[in-house]
Each structure stands twice: as C-alpha cells, then as structure tokens.
C-alpha cells in the first residue's frame, strides 16, 4: 500500500500515511492514480450534492470548484498556468522552459487560470446531474497523464523525466482497468459520456502536440495541464444545450 499512499499524497492534499520517497517511486505508484482520482471524484460528487441542495446550481458549482482546487493543492492548476506562460510565449524552446520554471505567473498564465476555472463553474452549473462526470473526469484525467508521461521528456532532469523512466506499459495497462470499468455505467447513464471522453482525449493529444512543437517534449507542468484541460473538456462536452 505504500505506492497508494505515495500517489494519494502527491496528487491530493488528503491525509496520507508518510512513506519513504524514492526517485522512481512515483512511476511505480502510477497504477494507483485513477483510484486516487475516483476518491477525489467521490468527495466532489458528495459535496456537490449537498451544496446543490443548500444553495442551488450556481453557488454549488463555485464551491465545488474551490474544493476541487483545494483537494489537489492547486498542483495541476499551477502546471496549466506555467504551460500557458511558456507554451504560448513568443520565444525559443530554451527560453520557454525557463519561463515555465519561473514561479511567477504571467499574463498568459493568469488568463488561462481564470478561463479554466470559469469553464468548470459554467459547465457544472449547467448540468442537471453532475455527479457521474465528477467521478468520470478525475479518473480518466489521471490515466491520461500516464499516457502523456510516456512521451519524450523536454528536460533531461525533472519531475516529468523521472516519472517517465519508472513508468512501464504494464503499469499503464493496469491503471486503465478502473477508467474502463467506469465507462460502462457512464454510458448506461448517458451516451453523451462517450463524447466527453473522446473530446478529452483529443484535448490531451493537442496539448502533447503543442508541447512537442514548442519545447520538444513533456514536463511535469505539461502533465498538470493535461489533467486540468481533459477534466474541463469532459465536463463541457456533456452539457446539453
């Protein structure tokens, strides 16, 4: 269970038993990532149901998005902001990587964060029933980052590179079991779920292509952006007009 606790402590701010950290530990903990996503989704779905009953759809959506950011410690939002600053800047690849390492957030990063949060709030407030997608989104997003991490690393050293070295195809296949198991009930609930997953997959592919073109590969920030943008894409796709 040490690998589960490591995945939980890395991906969330939830209480977790402390385990000794090893450089390849995170990659070996990869099969647990979707389960951590499911735990996160269960908390969000329960919170949304209570907030919806107490406050109505608009405020419930805002409160759940705030809780979402708090439970993940802003880890993926930080990656999204860094990617917006670095990948969208007009600069050579080496300079883009420097910008992404800079702890300060620029105009692109702030704009990206605001738009991402607004899209999550708007999508949640527009869904008559949101809990299936609050389960589906975090689980699939945390499997897609495993696929993304197998892409060439943009830096020889760094979180993305270390994670990739210890991540095996067997771990990715094992991690795929939970997302696939959830797919059946989701499609039974609403066939539009498949559209959400398909759009999220396209978004993941687009982010990886952009990162490859702009900085030559993936970084930990790119993985964070993949999580945020695939979650948003899935929520937006299942909203009915």
């Amino acid at each position: 269970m040490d690998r589960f606790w490591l995945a939980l402590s890395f991906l969330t701010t939830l209480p977790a038993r402390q385990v000794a950290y090893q450089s390849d530990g995170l990659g070996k903990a990869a099969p647990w990532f979707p389960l951590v996503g499911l735990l996160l989704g269960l908390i969000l779905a329960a919170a949304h149901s209570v907030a919806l009953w107490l406050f109505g759809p608009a405020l419930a959506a805002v409160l759940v998005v705030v809780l979402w950011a708090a439970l993940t410690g802003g880890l993926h939002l930080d990656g999204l902001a860094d990617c917006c600053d670095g990948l969208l800047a007009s600069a050579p690849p080496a300079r883009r990587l420097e910008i992404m390492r800079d702890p300060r957030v620029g105009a692109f990063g702030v704009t990206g964060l605001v738009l991402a949060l607004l899209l999550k709030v708007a999508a949640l407030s527009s869904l008559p029933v949101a809990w299936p997608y609050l389960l589906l989104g975090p689980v699939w997003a945390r499997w897609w980052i495993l696929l993304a991490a197998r892409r060439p690393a943009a830096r020889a050293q760094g979180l993305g590179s270390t994670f990739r070295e210890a991540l095996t195809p067997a771990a990715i296949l094992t991690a795929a079991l939970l997302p696939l198991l959830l797919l059946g009930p989701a499609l039974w609930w609403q066939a539009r779920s498949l559209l959400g997953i398909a759009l999220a997959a396209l978004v993941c592919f687009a982010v990886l292509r952009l990162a490859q073109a702009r900085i030559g590969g993936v970084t930990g920030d790119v993985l964070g952006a993949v999580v945020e943008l695939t979650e948003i894409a899935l929520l937006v796709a299942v909203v009915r007009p």
Side-chain angles (χ1 to χ4, degrees):
M1 292 298 291
D2 282 356
R3 293 176 181 176
F4 167 74
W5 293 119
L6 179 59
L8 184 68
S9 63
F10 178 76
L11 293 173
T12 75
T13 56
L14 294 169
R17 186 166 66 85
Q18 296 297 313
V19 296
Y21 179 78
Q22 298 177 346
S23 59
D24 62 348
L26 199 57
K28 291 180 177 179
W32 295 100
F33 277 31
L35 182 60
V36 172
L38 179 61
L39 180 59
L40 177 63
L42 288 169
I43 296 171
L44 293 173
H48 184 263
S49 297
V50 174
L52 191 63
W53 177 67
L54 290 174
F55 306 114
L59 186 53
V62 173
L63 292 174
V64 167
V65 170
V66 170
L67 178 62
W68 206 331
L71 289 175
T72 58
L75 175 67
H76 311 308
L77 288 170
D78 178 68
L80 175 61
D82 288 341
C83 282
C84 288
D85 280 334
L87 299 183
L88 301 181
S90 178
R95 177 55 184 155
R96 292 181 195 274
L97 288 169
E98 290 178 7
I99 293 172
M100 292 170 70
R101 276 186 168 175
D102 193 330
R104 294 170 296 181
V105 181
F108 284 130
V110 171
T111 303
L113 283 177
V114 171
L115 292 176
L117 295 172
L118 284 175
L119 283 169
K120 275 191 174 180
V121 169
L124 280 176
S125 63
S126 301
L127 289 170
V129 180
W131 67 263
Y133 313 112
L134 287 171
L135 300 180
L136 209 59
V139 170
W140 274 90
R142 280 149 191 81
W143 183 69
W144 273 312
I145 61 173
L146 305 185
L147 292 182
R150 291 291 296 174
R151 302 290 297 172
R155 298 189 184 100
Q157 295 180 346
L159 177 60
S161 177
T162 304
F163 186 42
R164 179 180 184 272
E165 289 174 0
L167 185 60
T168 64
I172 296 175
L173 290 174
T174 302
L177 294 177
L178 181 58
L180 291 175
L181 284 173
L182 285 181
L183 184 58
L187 291 176
W188 173 82
W189 176 262
Q190 187 183 116
R192 203 175 179 88
S193 300
L194 188 59
L195 175 62
I197 292 171
L199 180 60
L202 288 175
V203 167
C204 176
F205 177 75
V207 172
L208 296 179
R209 285 296 300 270
L210 180 64
Q212 182 68 39
R214 297 293 175 91
I215 57 175
V218 300
T219 65
D221 288 328
V222 173
L223 301 185
V226 164
V227 170
E228 285 295 327
L229 294 176
T230 54
E231 287 175 342
I232 291 169
L234 193 148
L235 287 175
V236 169
V238 296
V239 173
R240 289 187 177 274

